Structures are given as C-alpha cells and as structure tokens.
Amino acid sequence: MRTVELLCSAELDTAVRSAWGRLGAAGLPSLARNIHPTNRPHLTLAAVDDFPPGAVARLAALLDEALPLPARLGDVTVLEGSAPLVWLVEPGARLVELHRAVWQVLADGRGCGPWHDPDRWTPHLSLGLRFRDADRTLARAVVGAAPAGSFVAARSYDSAGRSVRHLAGSRLL
C-alpha cells in the first residue's frame, strides 16, 4: 500500500507527540510506543495499492501549490473499525478541495482505500490504536486542548518497504 500524507508544522508535530507521550504515561494506547523512524503525526489523504503512472509528478505539483495549509484540530474521539483514538481535523474548504484533487489523481490506481473516498473521509491525526476498551474520558483529559499549526509537507508511505518518499513542501521535517 502507498499513501499520500500531509505532515505537520514543527509546533503541531511537537504538540501531537506530547499528547502521545501523555497518553502513554497514563497507561493508555499511544503511538508513542511505535518507535519506527517513519512514525510521525500525519493526515492521510489517500491510500492505494499502487500509484497509477505519472501520479507522483502530478501529486508533487498539486501538493506544492497547496502547501502550507492551516490545520484546525477539533474533538478527540474514537473512530469505527480498528478503533483508533484520533484528533479530528476540521475539514476547511482548502483541505476538502486538496483531498478531492488527490483522490482524482489516484482514481485510476489499483486498490483505492474506500475509507478515503471524499464522501466517507474523516480527516484526523491518530493518537493511539485499538482504543476500543480504553478510558475515553481520561484520554480526552490527558490529550488536552487542540493545538494550532499547519500542514507544511507531504510524503508517501510504502507499507511493503516501510519507507517514505518526499512529495512536496519542507524537507527539514
């Protein structure tokens, strides 16, 4: 699987990692426990088995034009499915437009993840996985207030090789 992900500004990245740390310290499921070097706060726009021909160049141009993009975080909640604890990202007009454009670039890709379909997508930053039976009230208190920030770069994650490819924006992150 290959993804298209937006990466957080330094201040937003730090705030999310701090929330991961607080969750872990409270004994709750937390992405702080994932020590793989590719693990970082991100917003997934799409996931496909393979990019269609020419998609990387088209995505890079599209993302370069769109970034940076303000990030407004909302509630902390648990999503259906594998029950991740997430910070919802408010879907402003620019983010919704970018998401639809990325989806169109990847429309001919094999194995488009249906959960990223523009009519089903729930933009979020993951905080912890498999949160189904954990204490949601405590988690919300531990995570705290939503920080400010922006999305300043984009990457693609390749789950087969557990590697990333820079697509757009700042390479300093």
Side-chain angles (χ1 to χ4, degrees), residues 65-141:
E65 186 175 318
L67 297 172
L69 188 66
R72 293 184 48 150
L73 302 188
D75 293 335
V76 172
T77 192
V78 177
L79 298 180
E80 295 296 321
S82 62
L85 178 73
V86 302
W87 230 324
L88 295 176
V89 175
E90 295 180 13
R94 288 181 55 205
L95 178 58
V96 169
E97 180 182 316
L98 176 61
H99 177 252
R100 286 191 183 279
V102 166
W103 185 259
Q104 288 176 342
V105 169
L106 299 177
D108 294 332
R110 192 170 52 84
C112 284
W115 50 93
H116 296 110
D117 180 293
D119 295 326
R120 294 185 59 196
W121 182 57
T122 302
H124 65 273
L125 300 176
S126 295
L127 299 170
L129 303 178
R130 292 174 284 289
F131 213 84
R132 185 175 326 279
D133 299 321
D135 187 336
R136 297 173 191 204
T137 302
L138 176 59
R140 287 183 185 103

Side-chain angles (χ1 to χ4, degrees), residues 1-4 44-53 55-56 59 102-103 105-116 156-163:
M1 175 186 73
R2 287 185 163 70
T3 63
V4 177
T44 303
L45 298 176
V48 295
D49 290 341
D50 287 306
F51 285 156
V56 171
L59 288 168
V102 166
W103 185 259
V105 169
L106 299 177
D108 294 332
R110 192 170 52 84
C112 284
W115 50 93
H116 296 110
S156 175
Y157 177 75
D158 177 354
S159 63
R162 293 188 79 187
S163 61

